[in-house]
mmCIF file of all heavy atoms in Angstrom:
data_model
loop_
_atom_site.group_PDB
_atom_site.id
_atom_site.type_symbol
_atom_site.label_atom_id
_atom_site.label_comp_id
_atom_site.label_asym_id
_atom_site.label_seq_id
_atom_site.Cartn_x
_atom_site.Cartn_y
_atom_site.Cartn_z
ATOM 1 N N MET R 16 24.215 47.768 -52.521
ATOM 2 C CA MET R 16 24.947 48.058 -53.722
ATOM 3 C C MET R 16 24.587 47.110 -54.835
ATOM 4 O O MET R 16 24.508 45.929 -54.505
ATOM 5 C CB MET R 16 26.377 48.137 -53.307
ATOM 6 C CG MET R 16 27.331 47.753 -54.542
ATOM 7 S SD MET R 16 29.077 48.120 -54.113
ATOM 8 C CE MET R 16 29.486 47.083 -52.786
ATOM 9 N N ARG R 17 24.750 47.440 -56.044
ATOM 10 C CA ARG R 17 24.479 46.491 -57.060
ATOM 11 C C ARG R 17 25.616 46.404 -57.963
ATOM 12 O O ARG R 17 26.272 47.416 -58.440
ATOM 13 C CB ARG R 17 23.323 47.217 -57.771
ATOM 14 C CG ARG R 17 22.995 46.534 -59.221
ATOM 15 C CD ARG R 17 22.124 45.286 -58.792
ATOM 16 N NE ARG R 17 20.776 45.486 -59.249
ATOM 17 C CZ ARG R 17 19.761 44.838 -59.015
ATOM 18 N NH1 ARG R 17 19.809 43.948 -58.175
ATOM 19 N NH2 ARG R 17 18.560 44.944 -59.517
ATOM 20 N N ALA R 18 26.003 45.095 -58.283
ATOM 21 C CA ALA R 18 27.001 44.980 -59.222
ATOM 22 C C ALA R 18 26.700 45.556 -60.475
ATOM 23 O O ALA R 18 25.706 45.438 -61.153
ATOM 24 C CB ALA R 18 27.310 43.509 -59.362
ATOM 25 N N GLY R 19 27.712 46.157 -61.161
ATOM 26 C CA GLY R 19 27.473 46.722 -62.411
ATOM 27 C C GLY R 19 27.125 48.153 -62.414
ATOM 28 O O GLY R 19 27.126 48.917 -63.489
ATOM 29 N N CYS R 20 26.894 48.718 -61.230
ATOM 30 C CA CYS R 20 26.586 50.115 -60.937
ATOM 31 C C CYS R 20 27.787 50.939 -60.873
ATOM 32 O O CYS R 20 28.395 50.778 -59.796
ATOM 33 C CB CYS R 20 25.546 50.418 -59.965
ATOM 34 S SG CYS R 20 25.196 52.240 -59.795
ATOM 35 N N VAL R 21 28.172 51.722 -61.777
ATOM 36 C CA VAL R 21 29.533 52.397 -61.771
ATOM 37 C C VAL R 21 29.523 53.352 -60.475
ATOM 38 O O VAL R 21 30.484 53.466 -59.915
ATOM 39 C CB VAL R 21 29.818 53.162 -63.064
ATOM 40 C CG1 VAL R 21 31.012 53.877 -62.869
ATOM 41 C CG2 VAL R 21 29.680 52.250 -64.208
ATOM 42 N N GLU R 22 28.466 53.946 -60.244
ATOM 43 C CA GLU R 22 28.341 54.950 -59.225
ATOM 44 C C GLU R 22 28.558 54.202 -57.885
ATOM 45 O O GLU R 22 29.193 54.734 -56.926
ATOM 46 C CB GLU R 22 27.051 55.683 -59.266
ATOM 47 C CG GLU R 22 26.808 56.843 -58.254
ATOM 48 C CD GLU R 22 27.924 58.027 -58.514
ATOM 49 O OE1 GLU R 22 28.587 57.966 -59.539
ATOM 50 O OE2 GLU R 22 27.938 58.806 -57.700
ATOM 51 N N CYS R 23 27.781 53.147 -57.694
ATOM 52 C CA CYS R 23 27.947 52.338 -56.462
ATOM 53 C C CYS R 23 29.340 51.948 -56.377
ATOM 54 O O CYS R 23 29.935 51.949 -55.208
ATOM 55 C CB CYS R 23 26.927 51.084 -56.533
ATOM 56 S SG CYS R 23 25.250 51.608 -56.032
ATOM 57 N N ALA R 24 30.002 51.409 -57.349
ATOM 58 C CA ALA R 24 31.441 51.030 -57.318
ATOM 59 C C ALA R 24 32.301 52.058 -56.702
ATOM 60 O O ALA R 24 33.039 51.858 -55.962
ATOM 61 C CB ALA R 24 31.808 50.339 -58.606
ATOM 62 N N ARG R 25 32.032 53.231 -57.257
ATOM 63 C CA ARG R 25 32.894 54.393 -56.953
ATOM 64 C C ARG R 25 32.607 54.746 -55.510
ATOM 65 O O ARG R 25 33.599 54.932 -54.887
ATOM 66 C CB ARG R 25 32.481 55.619 -57.904
ATOM 67 C CG ARG R 25 33.571 56.716 -57.790
ATOM 68 C CD ARG R 25 32.997 57.843 -58.708
ATOM 69 N NE ARG R 25 31.722 58.400 -58.292
ATOM 70 C CZ ARG R 25 31.633 59.208 -57.239
ATOM 71 N NH1 ARG R 25 32.795 59.678 -56.589
ATOM 72 N NH2 ARG R 25 30.588 59.730 -56.742
ATOM 73 N N LEU R 26 31.376 54.768 -55.073
ATOM 74 C CA LEU R 26 31.056 55.105 -53.735
ATOM 75 C C LEU R 26 31.641 54.215 -52.662
ATOM 76 O O LEU R 26 32.221 54.409 -51.611
ATOM 77 C CB LEU R 26 29.634 55.232 -53.507
ATOM 78 C CG LEU R 26 28.945 56.509 -54.065
ATOM 79 C CD1 LEU R 26 27.472 56.295 -54.173
ATOM 80 C CD2 LEU R 26 29.372 57.757 -53.253
ATOM 81 N N ALA R 27 31.637 52.878 -53.228
ATOM 82 C CA ALA R 27 32.108 51.707 -52.268
ATOM 83 C C ALA R 27 33.614 51.898 -52.160
ATOM 84 O O ALA R 27 34.217 51.825 -50.988
ATOM 85 C CB ALA R 27 31.844 50.382 -52.807
ATOM 86 N N ARG R 28 34.314 52.269 -53.151
ATOM 87 C CA ARG R 28 35.667 52.468 -53.149
ATOM 88 C C ARG R 28 36.082 53.713 -52.282
ATOM 89 O O ARG R 28 36.953 53.745 -51.441
ATOM 90 C CB ARG R 28 36.241 52.643 -54.515
ATOM 91 C CG ARG R 28 37.044 51.464 -55.066
ATOM 92 C CD ARG R 28 38.236 51.670 -55.841
ATOM 93 N NE ARG R 28 37.857 52.852 -56.850
ATOM 94 C CZ ARG R 28 37.669 52.571 -58.206
ATOM 95 N NH1 ARG R 28 37.786 51.399 -58.779
ATOM 96 N NH2 ARG R 28 37.418 53.556 -58.878
ATOM 97 N N GLU R 29 35.267 54.732 -52.518
ATOM 98 C CA GLU R 29 35.453 55.894 -51.655
ATOM 99 C C GLU R 29 35.265 55.665 -50.266
ATOM 100 O O GLU R 29 35.971 56.169 -49.363
ATOM 101 C CB GLU R 29 34.569 57.059 -52.161
ATOM 102 C CG GLU R 29 35.144 58.402 -51.942
ATOM 103 C CD GLU R 29 34.491 59.356 -52.909
ATOM 104 O OE1 GLU R 29 34.530 59.245 -54.059
ATOM 105 O OE2 GLU R 29 33.921 60.429 -52.326
ATOM 106 N N LYS R 30 34.292 54.805 -49.872
ATOM 107 C CA LYS R 30 34.009 54.583 -48.494
ATOM 108 C C LYS R 30 35.145 53.760 -47.832
ATOM 109 O O LYS R 30 35.564 54.100 -46.836
ATOM 110 C CB LYS R 30 32.722 53.798 -48.474
ATOM 111 C CG LYS R 30 32.295 53.371 -47.090
ATOM 112 C CD LYS R 30 31.022 52.571 -47.077
ATOM 113 C CE LYS R 30 31.256 51.221 -47.558
ATOM 114 N NZ LYS R 30 30.232 50.318 -47.189
ATOM 115 N N GLU R 31 35.631 52.797 -48.481
ATOM 116 C CA GLU R 31 36.736 52.016 -48.109
ATOM 117 C C GLU R 31 37.909 52.981 -47.897
ATOM 118 O O GLU R 31 38.614 52.932 -46.713
ATOM 119 C CB GLU R 31 37.043 50.952 -49.160
ATOM 120 C CG GLU R 31 36.379 49.807 -48.982
ATOM 121 C CD GLU R 31 36.312 49.212 -47.583
ATOM 122 O OE1 GLU R 31 37.383 48.955 -47.041
ATOM 123 O OE2 GLU R 31 35.154 49.194 -47.153
ATOM 124 N N SER R 32 38.346 53.791 -48.771
ATOM 125 C CA SER R 32 39.525 54.635 -48.597
ATOM 126 C C SER R 32 39.336 55.647 -47.573
ATOM 127 O O SER R 32 40.163 55.991 -46.874
ATOM 128 C CB SER R 32 39.945 55.237 -49.935
ATOM 129 O OG SER R 32 39.159 56.206 -50.325
ATOM 130 N N ALA R 33 38.062 56.160 -47.354
ATOM 131 C CA ALA R 33 37.806 57.127 -46.324
ATOM 132 C C ALA R 33 37.892 56.511 -45.065
ATOM 133 O O ALA R 33 38.389 56.940 -44.015
ATOM 134 C CB ALA R 33 36.330 57.561 -46.445
ATOM 135 N N ARG R 34 37.519 55.253 -44.865
ATOM 136 C CA ARG R 34 37.567 54.465 -43.730
ATOM 137 C C ARG R 34 38.994 54.162 -43.411
ATOM 138 O O ARG R 34 39.456 54.069 -42.146
ATOM 139 C CB ARG R 34 36.751 53.059 -43.618
ATOM 140 C CG ARG R 34 36.532 52.786 -42.376
ATOM 141 C CD ARG R 34 35.972 51.304 -42.329
ATOM 142 N NE ARG R 34 35.341 50.804 -43.549
ATOM 143 C CZ ARG R 34 34.391 49.912 -43.580
ATOM 144 N NH1 ARG R 34 33.941 49.428 -42.473
ATOM 145 N NH2 ARG R 34 33.785 49.532 -44.705
ATOM 146 N N ASN R 35 39.830 53.725 -44.425
ATOM 147 C CA ASN R 35 41.151 53.471 -44.232
ATOM 148 C C ASN R 35 41.996 54.759 -43.791
ATOM 149 O O ASN R 35 42.897 54.655 -43.018
ATOM 150 C CB ASN R 35 41.784 52.943 -45.521
ATOM 151 C CG ASN R 35 41.425 51.662 -45.917
ATOM 152 O OD1 ASN R 35 40.976 50.901 -44.982
ATOM 153 N ND2 ASN R 35 41.530 51.183 -47.031
ATOM 154 N N ALA R 36 41.405 55.948 -44.341
ATOM 155 C CA ALA R 36 42.019 57.151 -43.878
ATOM 156 C C ALA R 36 41.670 57.691 -42.539
ATOM 157 O O ALA R 36 41.975 58.637 -41.977
ATOM 158 C CB ALA R 36 41.732 58.223 -44.923
ATOM 159 N N GLY R 37 40.688 56.940 -41.967
ATOM 160 C CA GLY R 37 40.211 57.318 -40.545
ATOM 161 C C GLY R 37 39.054 58.381 -40.624
ATOM 162 O O GLY R 37 38.715 58.880 -39.642
ATOM 163 N N ASP R 38 38.523 58.597 -41.851
ATOM 164 C CA ASP R 38 37.535 59.750 -41.982
ATOM 165 C C ASP R 38 36.238 59.053 -41.944
ATOM 166 O O ASP R 38 35.520 58.715 -42.925
ATOM 167 C CB ASP R 38 37.668 60.374 -43.499
ATOM 168 C CG ASP R 38 36.925 61.481 -43.569
ATOM 169 O OD1 ASP R 38 35.994 61.777 -42.674
ATOM 170 O OD2 ASP R 38 37.187 62.300 -44.423
ATOM 171 N N LEU R 39 35.882 58.818 -40.632
ATOM 172 C CA LEU R 39 34.589 57.952 -40.451
ATOM 173 C C LEU R 39 33.279 58.713 -40.906
ATOM 174 O O LEU R 39 32.345 58.169 -41.360
ATOM 175 C CB LEU R 39 34.386 57.514 -38.972
ATOM 176 C CG LEU R 39 35.563 56.530 -38.608
ATOM 177 C CD1 LEU R 39 35.248 56.062 -37.144
ATOM 178 C CD2 LEU R 39 35.449 55.325 -39.497
ATOM 179 N N SER R 40 33.333 60.061 -40.870
ATOM 180 C CA SER R 40 32.100 60.795 -41.260
ATOM 181 C C SER R 40 31.800 60.637 -42.675
ATOM 182 O O SER R 40 30.827 60.476 -43.240
ATOM 183 C CB SER R 40 32.172 62.202 -40.741
ATOM 184 O OG SER R 40 33.111 62.936 -41.433
ATOM 185 N N LYS R 41 33.003 60.669 -43.554
ATOM 186 C CA LYS R 41 32.878 60.498 -44.994
ATOM 187 C C LYS R 41 32.581 59.059 -45.195
ATOM 188 O O LYS R 41 31.675 58.818 -46.203
ATOM 189 C CB LYS R 41 34.253 60.952 -45.505
ATOM 190 C CG LYS R 41 34.167 60.921 -47.090
ATOM 191 C CD LYS R 41 35.426 61.517 -47.738
ATOM 192 C CE LYS R 41 35.121 61.329 -49.251
ATOM 193 N NZ LYS R 41 36.254 61.836 -49.894
ATOM 194 N N ALA R 42 33.077 58.219 -44.499
ATOM 195 C CA ALA R 42 32.638 56.726 -44.761
ATOM 196 C C ALA R 42 31.233 56.571 -44.625
ATOM 197 O O ALA R 42 30.566 55.856 -45.421
ATOM 198 C CB ALA R 42 33.593 55.793 -43.900
ATOM 199 N N THR R 43 30.661 57.112 -43.545
ATOM 200 C CA THR R 43 29.262 56.947 -43.235
ATOM 201 C C THR R 43 28.475 57.655 -44.455
ATOM 202 O O THR R 43 27.477 56.973 -44.800
ATOM 203 C CB THR R 43 28.951 57.631 -41.917
ATOM 204 O OG1 THR R 43 29.797 56.901 -40.855
ATOM 205 C CG2 THR R 43 27.482 57.442 -41.542
ATOM 206 N N ASP R 44 28.895 58.690 -44.788
ATOM 207 C CA ASP R 44 28.286 59.439 -45.859
ATOM 208 C C ASP R 44 28.150 58.578 -47.134
ATOM 209 O O ASP R 44 27.124 58.578 -47.697
ATOM 210 C CB ASP R 44 29.055 60.680 -46.258
ATOM 211 C CG ASP R 44 28.358 61.921 -46.293
ATOM 212 O OD1 ASP R 44 27.536 62.178 -45.395
ATOM 213 O OD2 ASP R 44 28.448 62.632 -47.321
ATOM 214 N N CYS R 45 29.323 58.069 -47.460
ATOM 215 C CA CYS R 45 29.235 57.197 -48.590
ATOM 216 C C CYS R 45 28.324 56.018 -48.427
ATOM 217 O O CYS R 45 27.676 55.679 -49.370
ATOM 218 C CB CYS R 45 30.627 56.764 -48.868
ATOM 219 S SG CYS R 45 31.799 57.982 -49.651
ATOM 220 N N ALA R 46 28.398 55.372 -47.268
ATOM 221 C CA ALA R 46 27.475 54.241 -47.022
ATOM 222 C C ALA R 46 25.929 54.674 -47.271
ATOM 223 O O ALA R 46 25.193 53.870 -47.782
ATOM 224 C CB ALA R 46 27.686 53.701 -45.625
ATOM 225 N N VAL R 47 25.667 55.824 -46.730
ATOM 226 C CA VAL R 47 24.338 56.363 -46.893
ATOM 227 C C VAL R 47 23.988 56.583 -48.327
ATOM 228 O O VAL R 47 22.815 56.145 -48.887
ATOM 229 C CB VAL R 47 24.030 57.617 -46.092
ATOM 230 C CG1 VAL R 47 22.722 58.283 -46.568
ATOM 231 C CG2 VAL R 47 24.109 57.390 -44.567
ATOM 232 N N LEU R 48 24.771 57.083 -49.113
ATOM 233 C CA LEU R 48 24.561 57.351 -50.531
ATOM 234 C C LEU R 48 24.470 56.026 -51.297
ATOM 235 O O LEU R 48 23.636 55.901 -52.121
ATOM 236 C CB LEU R 48 25.751 58.111 -51.095
ATOM 237 C CG LEU R 48 25.776 59.590 -50.774
ATOM 238 C CD1 LEU R 48 27.037 60.264 -51.179
ATOM 239 C CD2 LEU R 48 24.584 60.351 -51.349
ATOM 240 N N LEU R 49 25.229 55.124 -50.870
ATOM 241 C CA LEU R 49 25.221 53.674 -51.495
ATOM 242 C C LEU R 49 23.770 53.152 -51.161
ATOM 243 O O LEU R 49 23.174 52.586 -52.183
ATOM 244 C CB LEU R 49 26.258 52.825 -50.870
ATOM 245 C CG LEU R 49 27.498 52.851 -51.514
ATOM 246 C CD1 LEU R 49 28.534 52.040 -50.630
ATOM 247 C CD2 LEU R 49 27.516 52.173 -52.844
ATOM 248 N N ARG R 50 23.338 53.307 -50.051
ATOM 249 C CA ARG R 50 22.153 52.738 -49.670
ATOM 250 C C ARG R 50 20.819 53.293 -50.335
ATOM 251 O O ARG R 50 19.870 52.714 -50.615
ATOM 252 C CB ARG R 50 21.867 52.695 -48.096
ATOM 253 C CG ARG R 50 21.175 51.587 -47.655
ATOM 254 C CD ARG R 50 20.897 51.569 -46.120
ATOM 255 N NE ARG R 50 22.163 51.760 -45.400
ATOM 256 C CZ ARG R 50 22.191 51.885 -44.064
ATOM 257 N NH1 ARG R 50 21.013 52.062 -43.390
ATOM 258 N NH2 ARG R 50 23.333 51.982 -43.399
ATOM 259 N N ARG R 51 21.026 54.647 -50.697
ATOM 260 C CA ARG R 51 20.031 55.294 -51.249
ATOM 261 C C ARG R 51 20.062 55.487 -52.723
ATOM 262 O O ARG R 51 19.209 55.972 -53.459
ATOM 263 C CB ARG R 51 20.014 56.856 -50.826
ATOM 264 C CG ARG R 51 19.718 57.081 -49.383
ATOM 265 C CD ARG R 51 19.465 58.671 -49.572
ATOM 266 N NE ARG R 51 19.414 59.062 -48.179
ATOM 267 C CZ ARG R 51 19.723 60.193 -47.977
ATOM 268 N NH1 ARG R 51 20.246 61.134 -48.780
ATOM 269 N NH2 ARG R 51 19.617 60.782 -46.710
ATOM 270 N N HIS R 52 21.061 54.887 -53.380
ATOM 271 C CA HIS R 52 21.389 55.088 -54.766
ATOM 272 C C HIS R 52 20.082 54.429 -55.393
ATOM 273 O O HIS R 52 19.740 53.505 -55.413
ATOM 274 C CB HIS R 52 22.589 54.257 -55.254
ATOM 275 C CG HIS R 52 23.168 54.893 -56.431
ATOM 276 N ND1 HIS R 52 23.298 54.259 -57.672
ATOM 277 C CD2 HIS R 52 23.420 56.100 -56.679
ATOM 278 C CE1 HIS R 52 23.651 55.181 -58.556
ATOM 279 N NE2 HIS R 52 23.880 56.308 -57.996
ATOM 280 N N PRO R 53 19.407 55.521 -56.162
ATOM 281 C CA PRO R 53 18.087 55.209 -56.741
ATOM 282 C C PRO R 53 18.046 54.363 -57.999
ATOM 283 O O PRO R 53 17.011 53.986 -58.447
ATOM 284 C CB PRO R 53 17.572 56.568 -56.946
ATOM 285 C CG PRO R 53 18.866 57.376 -57.272
ATOM 286 C CD PRO R 53 19.876 56.742 -56.598
ATOM 287 N N ASP R 54 19.229 54.437 -58.740
ATOM 288 C CA ASP R 54 19.311 53.894 -60.159
ATOM 289 C C ASP R 54 18.756 52.466 -60.287
ATOM 290 O O ASP R 54 18.528 52.113 -61.384
ATOM 291 C CB ASP R 54 20.702 53.985 -60.675
ATOM 292 C CG ASP R 54 20.734 55.261 -61.565
ATOM 293 O OD1 ASP R 54 20.661 56.373 -60.901
ATOM 294 O OD2 ASP R 54 20.894 55.071 -62.822
ATOM 295 N N HIS R 55 18.805 51.632 -59.233
ATOM 296 C CA HIS R 55 18.521 50.224 -59.582
ATOM 297 C C HIS R 55 17.357 49.610 -58.711
ATOM 298 O O HIS R 55 17.332 48.500 -58.328
ATOM 299 C CB HIS R 55 19.792 49.479 -59.382
ATOM 300 C CG HIS R 55 20.778 50.027 -58.422
ATOM 301 N ND1 HIS R 55 20.438 50.127 -57.208
ATOM 302 C CD2 HIS R 55 21.917 50.632 -58.552
ATOM 303 C CE1 HIS R 55 21.474 50.817 -56.526
ATOM 304 N NE2 HIS R 55 22.384 51.038 -57.442
ATOM 305 N N SER R 56 16.498 50.374 -58.325
ATOM 306 C CA SER R 56 15.315 49.818 -57.549
ATOM 307 C C SER R 56 14.280 49.224 -58.490
ATOM 308 O O SER R 56 13.566 48.227 -58.084
ATOM 309 C CB SER R 56 14.633 50.960 -56.791
ATOM 310 O OG SER R 56 14.615 52.154 -57.409
ATOM 311 N N ASN R 57 14.078 49.741 -59.589
ATOM 312 C CA ASN R 57 12.966 49.202 -60.499
ATOM 313 C C ASN R 57 13.333 48.874 -61.939
ATOM 314 O O ASN R 57 12.509 48.688 -62.714
ATOM 315 C CB ASN R 57 11.771 50.141 -60.332
ATOM 316 C CG ASN R 57 11.979 51.433 -60.823
ATOM 317 O OD1 ASN R 57 13.158 51.775 -61.340
ATOM 318 N ND2 ASN R 57 11.187 52.346 -60.670
ATOM 319 N N LYS R 58 14.599 48.910 -62.219
ATOM 320 C CA LYS R 58 14.966 48.397 -63.540
ATOM 321 C C LYS R 58 16.074 47.448 -63.458
ATOM 322 O O LYS R 58 16.860 47.403 -62.595
ATOM 323 C CB LYS R 58 15.207 49.589 -64.331
ATOM 324 C CG LYS R 58 16.354 50.316 -63.966
ATOM 325 C CD LYS R 58 16.548 51.547 -65.091
ATOM 326 C CE LYS R 58 17.673 52.496 -64.458
ATOM 327 N NZ LYS R 58 17.679 53.699 -65.368
ATOM 328 N N SER R 59 16.100 46.510 -64.449
ATOM 329 C CA SER R 59 17.242 45.599 -64.374
ATOM 330 C C SER R 59 18.508 46.136 -64.622
ATOM 331 O O SER R 59 18.667 47.220 -65.231
ATOM 332 C CB SER R 59 17.016 44.553 -65.358
ATOM 333 O OG SER R 59 16.439 44.936 -66.576
ATOM 334 N N ALA R 60 19.605 45.486 -64.095
ATOM 335 C CA ALA R 60 20.861 46.034 -64.143
ATOM 336 C C ALA R 60 21.431 46.373 -65.524
ATOM 337 O O ALA R 60 22.211 47.287 -65.803
ATOM 338 C CB ALA R 60 21.966 45.234 -63.421
ATOM 339 N N HIS R 61 20.992 45.492 -66.378
ATOM 340 C CA HIS R 61 21.549 45.548 -67.817
ATOM 341 C C HIS R 61 20.566 46.246 -68.794
ATOM 342 O O HIS R 61 19.547 45.811 -68.850
ATOM 343 C CB HIS R 61 21.904 44.213 -68.228
ATOM 344 C CG HIS R 61 23.203 43.504 -67.691
ATOM 345 N ND1 HIS R 61 24.495 44.122 -67.799
ATOM 346 C CD2 HIS R 61 23.298 42.721 -66.595
ATOM 347 C CE1 HIS R 61 25.266 43.479 -67.056
ATOM 348 N NE2 HIS R 61 24.580 42.603 -66.325
ATOM 349 N N ALA R 62 21.086 47.220 -69.428
ATOM 350 C CA ALA R 62 20.303 47.777 -70.362
ATOM 351 C C ALA R 62 20.364 47.083 -71.597
ATOM 352 O O ALA R 62 19.590 47.377 -72.610
ATOM 353 C CB ALA R 62 20.797 49.287 -70.606
ATOM 354 N N GLY R 63 21.217 46.135 -71.683
ATOM 355 C CA GLY R 63 21.233 45.357 -73.053
ATOM 356 C C GLY R 63 22.564 45.419 -73.646
ATOM 357 O O GLY R 63 23.593 45.354 -72.942
ATOM 358 N N ARG R 64 22.554 45.616 -75.036
ATOM 359 C CA ARG R 64 23.763 45.656 -75.637
ATOM 360 C C ARG R 64 24.337 46.963 -76.080
ATOM 361 O O ARG R 64 24.576 47.331 -77.236
ATOM 362 C CB ARG R 64 23.448 44.769 -77.033
ATOM 363 C CG ARG R 64 22.226 45.447 -77.770
ATOM 364 C CD ARG R 64 21.365 44.209 -78.150
ATOM 365 N NE ARG R 64 19.953 44.753 -78.259
ATOM 366 C CZ ARG R 64 19.247 44.651 -79.386
ATOM 367 N NH1 ARG R 64 19.696 44.238 -80.430
ATOM 368 N NH2 ARG R 64 18.037 44.876 -79.292
ATOM 369 N N GLY R 65 24.293 47.858 -75.044
ATOM 370 C CA GLY R 65 24.803 49.177 -75.322
ATOM 371 C C GLY R 65 26.276 49.206 -75.375
ATOM 372 O O GLY R 65 26.877 50.296 -75.336
ATOM 373 N N ARG R 66 26.932 48.100 -75.174
ATOM 374 C CA ARG R 66 28.357 48.086 -74.911
ATOM 375 C C ARG R 66 29.175 48.036 -76.217
ATOM 376 O O ARG R 66 28.891 47.277 -77.149
ATOM 377 C CB ARG R 66 28.754 46.755 -74.121
ATOM 378 C CG ARG R 66 29.946 47.071 -73.280
ATOM 379 C CD ARG R 66 29.687 46.572 -71.868
ATOM 380 N NE ARG R 66 30.527 47.287 -70.958
ATOM 381 C CZ ARG R 66 31.684 46.746 -70.619
ATOM 382 N NH1 ARG R 66 31.962 45.555 -71.001
ATOM 383 N NH2 ARG R 66 32.427 47.315 -69.791
ATOM 384 N N ALA R 67 30.180 48.988 -76.330
ATOM 385 C CA ALA R 67 31.017 48.946 -77.411
ATOM 386 C C ALA R 67 31.775 47.767 -77.572
ATOM 387 O O ALA R 67 32.840 47.697 -77.416
ATOM 388 C CB ALA R 67 31.868 50.351 -77.498
HETATM 389 ZN ZN1 ZN Y 23 24.137 52.441 -57.682
#
């Protein structure tokens, strides 16, 4: 997971709450999605000054 990636943050949260709820298959699912999240393999985390 990469800091600053909204999707990863969302998945991590979902994974945690799934685990807390005892939904291990969903937690595993989220873990897999996190590991595969493609957005940050070859570009830097910050696009620059796109922030309002
Ligand atoms: Zn991500």
Side-chain angles (χ1 to χ4, degrees):
M16 153 169 61
R17 175 74 113 198
C20 178
V21 181
E22 186 67 6
C23 281
R25 194 181 64 80
L26 284 169
R28 255 212 321 251
E29 204 161 307
K30 183 179 71 164
E31 276 310 302
S32 73
R34 201 192 335 207
N35 287 338
D38 192 346
L39 291 185
S40 65
K41 185 173 180 183
T43 302
D44 225 51
C45 289
V47 170
L48 287 173
L49 270 171
R50 216 183 296 176
R51 285 198 198 150
H52 205 238
D54 258 68
H55 28 65
S56 41
N57 58 8
K58 60 183 173 189
S59 40
H61 287 287
R64 51 226 151 124
R66 213 132 199 265

